[in-house]
């Protein structure tokens, strides 16, 4: 069997082995078409079958209501940071909840296009915290409220949907989409870069309530008009064909295991292994407050930066990779998305224990 490492990368991240094997087995000749999916015309019947099946699977797995459009867009989540205000900032005003680097970047980008109000800013608490309902200061006339449901860099996650008094919530779910069931109707729009729980880079997935995309700011580039993309079923131009195919394969894998309830259970179990170990240790220190901890990105530090570096170096020798924290915060980050098997987390916890004993 091919040797693989436990890859704790925050994204692009590890994929289920069975999905990779299935894709590899069809690489030269997909379902007797005589070609790879990469080589297919996006308008061919073979490809349209893949495309429609992927959309249908996403609708099924996430239980997406009929009044939502699913758009598959070239580019990742960052591209949506400007696309969103240009399409959804109807009255030139929007509110942003800043809980980490990506929500901050999204707000900064939106500021170029309209009146942006920061409804909460967690920077003075080192982004360890997700605001409670009482801490939010949302304007009554905002076109939408933007939040990031899981903060990949800091390792915090929203555990509730805030009450925005009927103002649509636009959520960047790049790093926790498909990790647990959610109620899509709680949101006006959900978006994600695919390269974590949805497969590979090159694809941005947008799930948007139809009534929100009927008009947009005048004179915006055609390829970022949600209504144009929607009217053309994401095929105004060539969509990222292979990334959409991989998403379909990942969705089939999730469905075969029992769907998002099962994903949640698996993810809770894995996260608990790590957090329980961190909580009983006086060597490691978890970054985020316990009530705000992410199930996907577990962030912590060793007693010194030298030990952080030693930890990362020795973890590679022990068959694990990408445990170095994001360059902006340092420390250690273990990203344990859907495809990370429990054995990977158990291996990491055993390594942490040994490292602690040897270095305390
Ligand atoms: N939002 C979140 C929560 C992310 O984790 C990331 C990337 O890691 C991004 C946005 C940026 O995504 P992309 O690289 O697809 O533009």
């Amino acid at each position: 069997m091919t040797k693989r490492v436990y890859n704790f990368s925050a994204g692009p991240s590890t994929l289920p082995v069975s999905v990779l094997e299935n894709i590899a087995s069809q690489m030269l000749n997909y379902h007797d078409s005589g070609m790879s999916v990469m080589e297919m015309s996006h308008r061919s019947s073979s490809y349209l079958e893949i495309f429609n099946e992927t959309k249908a699977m996403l609708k099924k797995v996430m239980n997406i209501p009929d009044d939502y459009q699913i758009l598959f867009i070239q580019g990742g989540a960052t591209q949506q940071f400007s696309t969103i205000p240009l399409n959804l900032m109807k009255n030139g005003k929007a509110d942003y909840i800043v809980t980490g680097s990506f929500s901050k970047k999204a707000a900064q980008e939106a500021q170029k296009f309209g009146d942006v109000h920061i409804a909460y800013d967690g920077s003075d608490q080192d982004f360890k915290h997700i605001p409670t309902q009482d801490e939010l200061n949302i304007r009554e006339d905002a076109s939408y409220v933007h939040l990031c449901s899981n903060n990949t860099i800091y390792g915090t996650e929203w555990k509730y949907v805030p009450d925005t008094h009927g103002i649509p919530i636009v959520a960047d779910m790049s790093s926790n989409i498909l990790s647990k069931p959610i109620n899509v109707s709680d949101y006006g729009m959900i978006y994600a870069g695919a390269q974590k729980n949805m497969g590979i880079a090159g694809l941005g997935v947008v799930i948007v309530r139809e009534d929100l995309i009927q008009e947009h700011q005048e004179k915006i580039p055609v390829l970022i008009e949600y209504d144009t993309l929607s009217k053309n079923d994401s095929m105004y131009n060539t969509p990222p064909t292979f990334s959409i195919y991989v998403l379909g394969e990942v969705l089939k894998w999730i469905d075969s295991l029992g769907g998002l309830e099962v994903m949640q259970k698996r993810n809770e179990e894995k996260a608990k292994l790590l957090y329980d170990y961190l909580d009983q240790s006086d060597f490691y220190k978890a970054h985020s407050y316990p009530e705000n901890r992410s199930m996907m990105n577990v962030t912590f530090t060793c007693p010194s930066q030298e030990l952080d570096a030693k930890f990362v170096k020795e973890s590679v020798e022990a068959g694990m990779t990408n445990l170095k924290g994001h360059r902006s915060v340092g420390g250690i980050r273990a990203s344990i998305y859907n495809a990370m098997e429990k054995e990977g987390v158990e291996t990491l916890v055993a390594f942490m224990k040994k490292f602690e004993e040897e270095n305390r």
Side-chain angles (χ1 to χ4, degrees):
M1 205 185 127
T2 314
K3 184 175 177 298
R4 284 176 54 85
V5 292
Y6 288 119
N7 178 8
F8 291 93
S9 167
S13 52
T14 195
L15 283 158
V17 172
S18 62
V19 168
L20 289 172
E21 282 173 346
N22 191 27
I23 292 171
S25 74
Q26 311 269 347
M27 193 55 93
L28 293 181
N29 183 7
Y30 177 82
H31 286 197
D32 275 339
S33 62
M35 63 178 89
S36 159
V37 173
M38 280 184 261
E39 301 166 293
M40 286 178 183
S41 159
H42 58 294
R43 307 213 186 267
S44 66
S45 57
S46 308
Y47 187 73
L48 286 177
E49 213 173 286
I50 296 171
F51 182 90
N52 290 330
E53 193 185 12
T54 302
K55 250 177 90 170
M57 280 303 289
L58 185 62
K59 199 167 152 74
K60 177 184 174 201
V61 168
M62 287 187 70
N63 198 14
I64 300 173
D66 288 341
D67 58 335
Y68 282 73
Q69 288 284 325
I70 298 169
L71 307 176
F72 295 138
I73 305 180
Q74 293 264 12
T78 310
Q79 182 172 293
Q80 297 308 314
F81 295 170
S82 38
T83 304
I84 289 162
L86 287 168
N87 279 274
L88 303 184
M89 222 193 249
K90 309 286 185 211
N91 65 358
K93 289 183 174 184
D95 286 12
Y96 278 69
I97 302 174
V98 176
T99 52
S101 310
F102 291 110
S103 46
K104 190 169 174 193
K105 279 188 179 167
Q108 282 167 344
E109 192 63 13
Q111 270 158 0
K112 294 180 185 167
F113 306 111
D115 169 5
V116 166
H117 163 71
I118 304 299
Y120 171 82
D121 181 356
S123 55
D124 57 352
Q125 293 194 53
D126 273 348
F127 294 126
K128 292 175 185 203
H129 173 63
I130 294 291
T132 59
Q133 182 71 46
D134 291 345
E135 289 172 298
L136 296 174
N137 170 16
I138 293 166
R139 292 184 295 190
E140 274 171 20
D141 58 348
S143 305
Y144 61 86
V145 177
H146 181 280
L147 60 84
C148 179
S149 61
N150 184 76
N151 298 287
T152 325
I153 293 177
Y154 295 93
T156 57
E157 183 169 9
W158 286 79
K159 303 286 164 67
Y160 75 104
V161 181
D163 179 2
T164 53
H165 324 295
I167 300 170
I169 299 175
V170 174
D172 175 358
M173 293 198 182
S174 294
S175 50
N176 70 347
I177 197 161
L178 300 179
S179 66
K180 59 186 176 186
I182 56 153
N183 183 17
V184 173
S185 309
D186 289 340
Y187 303 88
M189 179 178 144
I190 291 165
Y191 68 102
Q195 64 272 18
K196 305 167 201 292
N197 273 339
M198 295 190 125
I200 59 171
L203 167 66
V205 176
V206 166
I207 302 162
V208 60
R209 217 174 63 209
E210 263 162 10
D211 63 294
L212 296 176
I213 57 172
Q214 277 151 13
E215 50 187 66
H216 51 75
Q217 291 195 18
E218 270 176 34
K219 291 200 181 160
I220 68 173
V222 67
L223 268 181
I224 65 166
E225 291 172 356
Y226 289 141
D227 59 341
T228 299
L229 290 161
S230 162
K231 277 180 204 139
N232 290 278
D233 201 7
S234 303
M235 294 234 192
Y236 183 81
N237 71 329
T238 317
T241 52
F242 197 75
S243 305
I244 294 169
Y245 158 64
V246 176
L247 167 60
E249 294 300 307
V250 168
L251 288 164
K252 283 187 223 165
W253 171 76
I254 293 174
D255 195 45
S256 73
L257 291 180
L260 294 186
E261 283 82 10
V262 172
M263 281 299 127
Q264 178 171 22
K265 207 165 156 283
R266 283 165 50 110
N267 289 328
E268 280 171 354
E269 241 178 78
K270 289 183 292 176
K272 186 170 181 326
L273 277 176
L274 265 171
Y275 285 123
D276 280 355
Y277 185 71
L278 286 171
D279 283 344
Q280 59 74 48
S281 163
D282 57 5
F283 181 83
Y284 300 104
K285 195 166 177 301
H287 176 76
S288 58
Y289 295 147
E291 65 277 18
N292 304 130
R293 287 169 169 174
S294 166
M295 194 164 60
M296 297 280 98
N297 311 97
V298 179
T299 49
F300 58 94
T301 47
C302 298
S304 69
Q305 286 184 0
E306 289 69 35
L307 283 171
D308 285 341
K310 190 168 182 238
F311 182 103
V312 171
K313 185 169 172 287
E314 292 182 10
S315 67
V316 173
E317 288 152 15
M320 290 167 281
T321 189
N322 287 312
L323 280 161
K324 191 168 187 285
H326 188 268
R327 58 190 181 282
S328 60
V329 290
I332 314 293
R333 171 176 54 177
S335 296
I336 50 173
Y337 299 118
N338 286 349
M340 173 57 68
E341 293 296 337
K342 193 172 161 201
E343 293 76 56
V345 179
E346 284 167 348
T347 304
L348 173 58
V349 171
F351 171 80
M352 287 167 71
K353 197 163 175 237
K354 185 164 166 281
F355 188 83
E356 177 174 345
E357 279 159 14
E358 289 170 359
N359 293 281
R360 56 165 52 261

